[in-house]
Amino acid sequence: MIRDFYLTLLGQKSLLQTKKKILLLLFVVSINAFVAHVNALVFENAKFGLNPPVLLRLHKSKIKFEQNLFLEALPIFDSISENNKNQPYISYLLGICYCYDVDNSFKAISYISLLKNEAYAIDGYNYNLAYAFEKNDSIDAALENYKIALSI
Protein backbone atom coordinates (compact mmCIF):
# COMPACT_ATOMS: atom_id res chain seq x y z
CA MET A 1 0.00 0.00 0.00
CA ILE A 2 2.78 2.45 0.89
CA ARG A 3 4.62 1.45 -2.28
CA ASP A 4 1.51 2.20 -4.34
CA PHE A 5 1.19 5.55 -2.64
CA TYR A 6 4.77 6.52 -3.52
CA LEU A 7 4.42 5.27 -7.08
CA THR A 8 1.30 7.35 -7.48
CA LEU A 9 2.70 10.40 -5.70
CA LEU A 10 6.18 10.49 -7.16
CA GLY A 11 5.80 8.48 -10.31
CA GLN A 12 7.72 5.31 -11.00
CA LYS A 13 10.74 7.07 -12.52
CA SER A 14 11.15 9.38 -9.51
CA LEU A 15 11.03 6.41 -7.17
CA LEU A 16 13.66 4.64 -9.22
CA GLN A 17 15.88 7.74 -9.10
CA THR A 18 15.36 7.99 -5.34
CA LYS A 19 16.33 4.33 -4.90
CA LYS A 20 19.43 4.86 -7.04
CA LYS A 21 20.44 7.88 -4.98
CA ILE A 22 19.97 5.94 -1.72
CA LEU A 23 22.03 3.04 -3.08
CA LEU A 24 24.67 5.47 -4.27
CA LEU A 25 24.84 7.09 -0.85
CA LEU A 26 25.24 3.71 0.84
CA PHE A 27 27.85 2.73 -1.70
CA VAL A 28 29.85 5.92 -1.19
CA VAL A 29 29.78 5.53 2.56
CA SER A 30 31.08 1.97 2.21
CA ILE A 31 34.14 3.04 0.16
CA ASN A 32 34.76 6.38 1.83
CA ALA A 33 38.47 5.58 2.32
CA PHE A 34 39.15 6.42 -1.34
CA VAL A 35 38.01 10.06 -1.20
CA ALA A 36 40.20 12.20 -3.42
CA HIS A 37 43.34 10.21 -2.89
CA VAL A 38 45.87 10.05 -5.68
CA ASN A 39 49.05 8.07 -5.84
CA ALA A 40 52.50 9.63 -6.01
CA LEU A 41 52.65 8.81 -9.73
CA VAL A 42 50.14 11.57 -10.48
CA PHE A 43 52.16 14.30 -8.77
CA GLU A 44 55.44 12.98 -10.19
CA ASN A 45 54.06 12.98 -13.74
CA ALA A 46 52.50 16.40 -13.20
CA LYS A 47 56.02 17.85 -12.87
CA PHE A 48 57.08 17.02 -16.43
CA GLY A 49 57.67 20.08 -18.58
CA LEU A 50 57.21 22.61 -15.76
CA ASN A 51 59.80 25.30 -15.04
CA PRO A 52 61.09 25.90 -11.47
CA PRO A 53 58.65 28.71 -10.47
CA VAL A 54 55.71 26.60 -11.67
CA LEU A 55 57.08 23.57 -9.82
CA LEU A 56 57.03 25.66 -6.65
CA ARG A 57 53.34 26.50 -7.23
CA LEU A 58 52.66 22.82 -7.93
CA HIS A 59 54.26 21.91 -4.62
CA LYS A 60 52.11 24.50 -2.83
CA SER A 61 48.94 23.14 -4.45
CA LYS A 62 49.98 19.57 -3.62
CA ILE A 63 50.17 20.47 0.07
CA LYS A 64 46.70 22.03 -0.04
CA PHE A 65 45.37 19.04 -1.97
CA GLU A 66 46.79 16.57 0.55
CA GLN A 67 45.14 18.58 3.34
CA ASN A 68 41.80 18.23 1.50
CA LEU A 69 41.76 21.98 0.86
CA PHE A 70 40.58 21.40 -2.71
CA LEU A 71 39.01 24.81 -3.19
CA GLU A 72 42.28 26.48 -2.16
CA ALA A 73 44.30 24.23 -4.46
CA LEU A 74 41.90 24.75 -7.38
CA PRO A 75 43.03 28.24 -8.52
CA ILE A 76 46.68 27.19 -8.34
CA PHE A 77 46.08 24.08 -10.46
CA ASP A 78 43.93 26.18 -12.78
CA SER A 79 46.67 28.75 -13.36
CA ILE A 80 49.24 25.99 -13.96
CA SER A 81 46.86 24.27 -16.36
CA GLU A 82 46.23 27.47 -18.34
CA ASN A 83 49.87 27.61 -19.42
CA ASN A 84 50.37 23.83 -19.65
CA LYS A 85 47.37 22.56 -21.60
CA ASN A 86 49.20 19.40 -22.68
CA GLN A 87 49.75 18.31 -19.09
CA PRO A 88 46.89 15.82 -18.39
CA TYR A 89 48.03 15.08 -14.84
CA ILE A 90 47.54 18.72 -13.85
CA SER A 91 44.12 18.60 -15.51
CA TYR A 92 43.26 15.45 -13.56
CA LEU A 93 44.11 17.13 -10.26
CA LEU A 94 42.17 20.20 -11.33
CA GLY A 95 39.19 17.99 -12.14
CA ILE A 96 39.25 16.46 -8.66
CA CYS A 97 39.27 19.95 -7.17
CA TYR A 98 36.32 20.97 -9.35
CA CYS A 99 34.30 18.14 -7.78
CA TYR A 100 34.23 20.23 -4.61
CA ASP A 101 33.30 23.50 -6.32
CA VAL A 102 29.51 23.73 -6.23
CA ASP A 103 29.31 26.28 -9.03
CA ASN A 104 31.75 24.56 -11.39
CA SER A 105 31.49 20.84 -10.63
CA PHE A 106 30.33 20.31 -14.22
CA LYS A 107 33.97 20.86 -15.30
CA ALA A 108 35.24 17.94 -13.23
CA ILE A 109 34.24 15.11 -15.59
CA SER A 110 36.02 16.48 -18.65
CA TYR A 111 39.25 17.23 -16.77
CA ILE A 112 39.35 13.86 -14.98
CA SER A 113 38.53 12.01 -18.22
CA LEU A 114 41.69 13.34 -19.87
CA LEU A 115 43.58 10.54 -18.11
CA LYS A 116 41.18 7.70 -18.94
CA ASN A 117 43.90 5.90 -20.93
CA GLU A 118 46.09 5.90 -17.81
CA ALA A 119 43.30 4.81 -15.42
CA TYR A 120 44.90 1.42 -14.76
CA ALA A 121 47.99 3.09 -13.27
CA ILE A 122 46.22 5.70 -11.15
CA ASP A 123 44.91 4.66 -7.76
CA GLY A 124 41.41 5.97 -7.24
CA TYR A 125 40.87 7.07 -10.84
CA ASN A 126 37.48 5.40 -11.22
CA TYR A 127 36.43 6.52 -7.76
CA ASN A 128 37.29 10.14 -8.59
CA LEU A 129 35.51 9.91 -11.93
CA ALA A 130 32.47 8.35 -10.23
CA TYR A 131 32.44 11.13 -7.66
CA ALA A 132 32.50 13.70 -10.47
CA PHE A 133 29.53 11.98 -12.12
CA GLU A 134 27.73 11.89 -8.77
CA LYS A 135 28.26 15.62 -8.20
CA ASN A 136 26.69 16.18 -11.62
CA ASP A 137 23.67 13.97 -10.90
CA SER A 138 24.73 11.33 -13.44
CA ILE A 139 23.80 8.52 -11.08
CA ASP A 140 24.05 5.61 -13.55
CA ALA A 141 27.54 6.62 -14.69
CA ALA A 142 28.56 7.19 -11.08
CA LEU A 143 27.39 3.72 -10.03
CA GLU A 144 29.17 2.13 -12.99
CA ASN A 145 32.47 3.78 -12.05
CA TYR A 146 32.07 3.03 -8.34
CA LYS A 147 31.63 -0.64 -9.26
CA ILE A 148 34.80 -0.51 -11.36
CA ALA A 149 36.62 1.19 -8.47
CA LEU A 150 35.69 -1.66 -6.16
CA SER A 151 36.71 -4.38 -8.62
CA ILE A 152 40.22 -3.03 -9.25
Side-chain angles (χ1 to χ4, degrees), residues 47 52 54 57 64 78 124 151-152:
K47 293 178 182 178
V54 177
R57 291 192 351 245
K64 291 185 181 300
D78 193 34
S151 68
I152 292 178

Side-chain angles (χ1 to χ4, degrees), residues 42-63 76-77 79-81 83-84 87 90 93:
V42 173
F43 282 106
E44 283 303 311
N45 287 336
K47 293 178 182 178
F48 290 122
L50 302 181
N51 59 35
V54 177
L55 285 172
L56 186 60
R57 291 192 351 245
L58 177 64
H59 179 71
K60 183 178 179 180
S61 61
K62 178 184 178 198
I63 291 169
I76 303 169
F77 284 129
S79 69
I80 295 171
S81 177
N83 296 317
N84 298 280
Q87 195 7 307
I90 297 292
L93 295 165

Side-chain angles (χ1 to χ4, degrees), residues 17 20-21 24 105-106 109 129-146:
Q17 282 298 97
K20 284 183 178 179
K21 285 185 179 186
L24 180 62
S105 63
F106 65 92
I109 297 168
L129 183 58
Y131 189 66
F133 279 121
E134 177 189 346
K135 297 302 272 185
N136 286 281
D137 293 327
S138 298
I139 303 304
D140 291 333
L143 284 172
E144 181 182 324
N145 280 280
Y146 281 131

Side-chain angles (χ1 to χ4, degrees), residues 18-33:
T18 302
K19 283 182 179 180
K20 284 183 178 179
K21 285 185 179 186
I22 290 170
L23 286 173
L24 180 62
L25 178 63
L26 292 173
F27 192 76
V28 170
V29 169
S30 70
I31 61 171
N32 195 27

Side-chain angles (χ1 to χ4, degrees), residues 61-72:
S61 61
K62 178 184 178 198
I63 291 169
K64 291 185 181 300
F65 188 94
E66 289 173 340
Q67 294 173 340
N68 296 332
L69 299 172
F70 304 110
L71 294 179
E72 291 182 25

